mmCIF file of all heavy atoms in Angstrom:
data_model
loop_
_atom_site.group_PDB
_atom_site.id
_atom_site.type_symbol
_atom_site.label_atom_id
_atom_site.label_comp_id
_atom_site.label_asym_id
_atom_site.label_seq_id
_atom_site.Cartn_x
_atom_site.Cartn_y
_atom_site.Cartn_z
ATOM 1 N N SER A 788 14.253 -14.191 -15.216
ATOM 2 C CA SER A 788 14.694 -14.856 -16.422
ATOM 3 C C SER A 788 14.055 -16.139 -16.629
ATOM 4 O O SER A 788 14.238 -16.847 -17.661
ATOM 5 C CB SER A 788 16.175 -14.999 -16.335
ATOM 6 O OG SER A 788 16.492 -15.941 -15.206
ATOM 7 N N GLY A 789 13.157 -16.653 -15.618
ATOM 8 C CA GLY A 789 12.718 -17.969 -15.646
ATOM 9 C C GLY A 789 11.661 -18.391 -16.677
ATOM 10 O O GLY A 789 11.040 -17.566 -17.319
ATOM 11 N N LEU A 790 11.485 -19.791 -16.747
ATOM 12 C CA LEU A 790 10.470 -20.255 -17.619
ATOM 13 C C LEU A 790 9.017 -19.998 -17.270
ATOM 14 O O LEU A 790 8.156 -19.981 -17.971
ATOM 15 C CB LEU A 790 10.747 -21.773 -17.759
ATOM 16 C CG LEU A 790 9.841 -22.560 -18.763
ATOM 17 C CD1 LEU A 790 9.944 -21.967 -20.201
ATOM 18 C CD2 LEU A 790 10.238 -23.977 -18.782
ATOM 19 N N ALA A 791 8.789 -20.099 -15.952
ATOM 20 C CA ALA A 791 7.402 -19.912 -15.474
ATOM 21 C C ALA A 791 6.799 -18.607 -15.722
ATOM 22 O O ALA A 791 5.670 -18.550 -16.255
ATOM 23 C CB ALA A 791 7.334 -20.320 -13.948
ATOM 24 N N HIS A 792 7.636 -17.621 -15.443
ATOM 25 C CA HIS A 792 7.019 -16.169 -15.491
ATOM 26 C C HIS A 792 7.841 -15.195 -16.196
ATOM 27 O O HIS A 792 7.467 -14.086 -16.214
ATOM 28 C CB HIS A 792 6.594 -15.728 -14.084
ATOM 29 C CG HIS A 792 6.082 -16.654 -13.190
ATOM 30 N ND1 HIS A 792 4.790 -17.278 -13.304
ATOM 31 C CD2 HIS A 792 6.594 -17.348 -12.142
ATOM 32 C CE1 HIS A 792 4.612 -18.164 -12.343
ATOM 33 N NE2 HIS A 792 5.740 -18.178 -11.617
ATOM 34 N N GLY A 793 9.100 -15.549 -16.720
ATOM 35 C CA GLY A 793 9.932 -14.558 -17.170
ATOM 36 C C GLY A 793 10.401 -14.720 -18.603
ATOM 37 O O GLY A 793 9.620 -15.219 -19.525
ATOM 38 N N PHE A 794 11.527 -14.154 -18.981
ATOM 39 C CA PHE A 794 11.947 -14.105 -20.370
ATOM 40 C C PHE A 794 12.219 -15.512 -21.040
ATOM 41 O O PHE A 794 11.951 -15.676 -22.222
ATOM 42 C CB PHE A 794 13.365 -13.346 -20.384
ATOM 43 C CG PHE A 794 13.077 -11.831 -20.371
ATOM 44 C CD1 PHE A 794 13.402 -11.122 -19.299
ATOM 45 C CD2 PHE A 794 12.653 -11.250 -21.492
ATOM 46 C CE1 PHE A 794 13.246 -9.770 -19.224
ATOM 47 C CE2 PHE A 794 12.449 -9.902 -21.513
ATOM 48 C CZ PHE A 794 12.677 -9.009 -20.291
ATOM 49 N N ALA A 795 12.576 -16.457 -20.180
ATOM 50 C CA ALA A 795 12.748 -17.724 -20.827
ATOM 51 C C ALA A 795 11.436 -18.347 -21.177
ATOM 52 O O ALA A 795 11.326 -19.056 -22.199
ATOM 53 C CB ALA A 795 13.270 -18.784 -19.693
ATOM 54 N N HIS A 796 10.338 -17.930 -20.489
ATOM 55 C CA HIS A 796 9.029 -18.316 -21.004
ATOM 56 C C HIS A 796 8.697 -17.734 -22.430
ATOM 57 O O HIS A 796 8.173 -18.434 -23.262
ATOM 58 C CB HIS A 796 7.904 -17.955 -20.039
ATOM 59 C CG HIS A 796 6.483 -18.318 -20.499
ATOM 60 N ND1 HIS A 796 6.051 -19.590 -20.429
ATOM 61 C CD2 HIS A 796 5.563 -17.546 -21.135
ATOM 62 C CE1 HIS A 796 4.765 -19.613 -21.036
ATOM 63 N NE2 HIS A 796 4.535 -18.400 -21.345
ATOM 64 N N MET A 797 9.044 -16.434 -22.606
ATOM 65 C CA MET A 797 8.777 -15.744 -23.869
ATOM 66 C C MET A 797 9.583 -16.572 -24.982
ATOM 67 O O MET A 797 9.134 -16.808 -26.180
ATOM 68 C CB MET A 797 9.113 -14.323 -23.759
ATOM 69 C CG MET A 797 8.201 -13.627 -22.896
ATOM 70 S SD MET A 797 8.668 -11.936 -22.491
ATOM 71 C CE MET A 797 8.655 -11.181 -24.204
ATOM 72 N N LEU A 798 10.816 -16.861 -24.637
ATOM 73 C CA LEU A 798 11.834 -17.501 -25.435
ATOM 74 C C LEU A 798 11.173 -18.861 -25.932
ATOM 75 O O LEU A 798 11.159 -19.296 -27.096
ATOM 76 C CB LEU A 798 13.171 -17.729 -24.871
ATOM 77 C CG LEU A 798 14.225 -18.416 -25.796
ATOM 78 C CD1 LEU A 798 14.561 -17.552 -26.954
ATOM 79 C CD2 LEU A 798 15.483 -18.679 -24.953
ATOM 80 N N TRP A 799 10.798 -19.669 -24.875
ATOM 81 C CA TRP A 799 10.113 -20.940 -25.070
ATOM 82 C C TRP A 799 8.836 -20.910 -26.106
ATOM 83 O O TRP A 799 8.643 -21.742 -27.030
ATOM 84 C CB TRP A 799 9.719 -21.699 -23.718
ATOM 85 C CG TRP A 799 9.000 -22.850 -23.835
ATOM 86 C CD1 TRP A 799 9.428 -24.160 -23.971
ATOM 87 C CD2 TRP A 799 7.600 -22.954 -23.660
ATOM 88 N NE1 TRP A 799 8.414 -25.112 -24.002
ATOM 89 C CE2 TRP A 799 7.254 -24.334 -23.768
ATOM 90 C CE3 TRP A 799 6.636 -22.011 -23.450
ATOM 91 C CZ2 TRP A 799 5.880 -24.845 -23.503
ATOM 92 C CZ3 TRP A 799 5.301 -22.530 -23.209
ATOM 93 C CH2 TRP A 799 4.899 -23.865 -23.377
ATOM 94 N N PHE A 800 8.148 -19.900 -25.729
ATOM 95 C CA PHE A 800 6.871 -19.909 -26.518
ATOM 96 C C PHE A 800 7.022 -19.473 -28.017
ATOM 97 O O PHE A 800 6.570 -20.172 -28.879
ATOM 98 C CB PHE A 800 5.962 -18.651 -25.894
ATOM 99 C CG PHE A 800 4.789 -18.205 -26.727
ATOM 100 C CD1 PHE A 800 3.712 -19.101 -26.704
ATOM 101 C CD2 PHE A 800 4.727 -17.149 -27.576
ATOM 102 C CE1 PHE A 800 2.585 -18.689 -27.524
ATOM 103 C CE2 PHE A 800 3.735 -16.756 -28.281
ATOM 104 C CZ PHE A 800 2.564 -17.567 -28.146
ATOM 105 N N PHE A 801 7.845 -18.494 -28.286
ATOM 106 C CA PHE A 801 8.119 -18.177 -29.665
ATOM 107 C C PHE A 801 8.958 -19.263 -30.429
ATOM 108 O O PHE A 801 8.705 -19.406 -31.615
ATOM 109 C CB PHE A 801 8.814 -16.824 -29.866
ATOM 110 C CG PHE A 801 7.765 -15.736 -29.466
ATOM 111 C CD1 PHE A 801 7.842 -14.948 -28.388
ATOM 112 C CD2 PHE A 801 6.766 -15.380 -30.405
ATOM 113 C CE1 PHE A 801 6.900 -14.059 -28.028
ATOM 114 C CE2 PHE A 801 5.963 -14.336 -30.215
ATOM 115 C CZ PHE A 801 6.045 -13.586 -28.972
ATOM 116 N N ALA A 802 9.862 -20.003 -29.798
ATOM 117 C CA ALA A 802 10.590 -20.908 -30.222
ATOM 118 C C ALA A 802 9.684 -22.108 -30.581
ATOM 119 O O ALA A 802 9.783 -22.751 -31.630
ATOM 120 C CB ALA A 802 11.695 -21.473 -29.387
ATOM 121 N N SER A 803 8.678 -22.428 -29.727
ATOM 122 C CA SER A 803 7.747 -23.475 -29.995
ATOM 123 C C SER A 803 6.739 -23.041 -31.184
ATOM 124 O O SER A 803 6.484 -23.974 -32.039
ATOM 125 C CB SER A 803 6.815 -23.707 -28.748
ATOM 126 O OG SER A 803 7.747 -24.102 -27.672
ATOM 127 N N VAL A 804 6.498 -21.807 -31.388
ATOM 128 C CA VAL A 804 5.702 -21.394 -32.560
ATOM 129 C C VAL A 804 6.526 -21.527 -33.705
ATOM 130 O O VAL A 804 6.014 -21.988 -34.789
ATOM 131 C CB VAL A 804 5.194 -20.015 -32.200
ATOM 132 C CG1 VAL A 804 4.511 -19.470 -33.490
ATOM 133 C CG2 VAL A 804 4.297 -19.910 -31.034
ATOM 134 N N ALA A 805 7.672 -21.167 -33.597
ATOM 135 C CA ALA A 805 8.626 -21.073 -34.812
ATOM 136 C C ALA A 805 8.877 -22.507 -35.370
ATOM 137 O O ALA A 805 9.090 -22.591 -36.607
ATOM 138 C CB ALA A 805 10.071 -20.488 -34.468
ATOM 139 N N GLN A 806 8.692 -23.492 -34.507
ATOM 140 C CA GLN A 806 8.984 -24.910 -35.078
ATOM 141 C C GLN A 806 7.766 -25.250 -36.047
ATOM 142 O O GLN A 806 7.855 -26.172 -36.829
ATOM 143 C CB GLN A 806 8.994 -25.934 -33.870
ATOM 144 C CG GLN A 806 10.289 -25.716 -33.062
ATOM 145 C CD GLN A 806 10.327 -26.674 -31.869
ATOM 146 O OE1 GLN A 806 9.769 -27.644 -31.858
ATOM 147 N NE2 GLN A 806 10.839 -26.191 -30.737
ATOM 148 N N ARG A 807 6.710 -24.641 -35.972
ATOM 149 C CA ARG A 807 5.529 -24.896 -36.731
ATOM 150 C C ARG A 807 5.273 -23.842 -37.700
ATOM 151 O O ARG A 807 4.715 -24.042 -38.817
ATOM 152 C CB ARG A 807 4.393 -25.234 -35.891
ATOM 153 C CG ARG A 807 3.118 -25.756 -36.706
ATOM 154 C CD ARG A 807 2.008 -26.280 -35.920
ATOM 155 N NE ARG A 807 2.381 -27.408 -35.167
ATOM 156 C CZ ARG A 807 1.477 -28.039 -34.469
ATOM 157 N NH1 ARG A 807 0.178 -27.847 -34.392
ATOM 158 N NH2 ARG A 807 1.829 -29.271 -33.774
#
Side-chain angles (χ1 to χ4, degrees):
S788 63
L790 181 62
H792 320 289
F794 278 106
H796 177 75
M797 295 168 66
L798 181 66
W799 171 83
F800 171 77
F801 285 105
S803 299
V804 173
Q806 291 175 36
R807 188 172 293 189

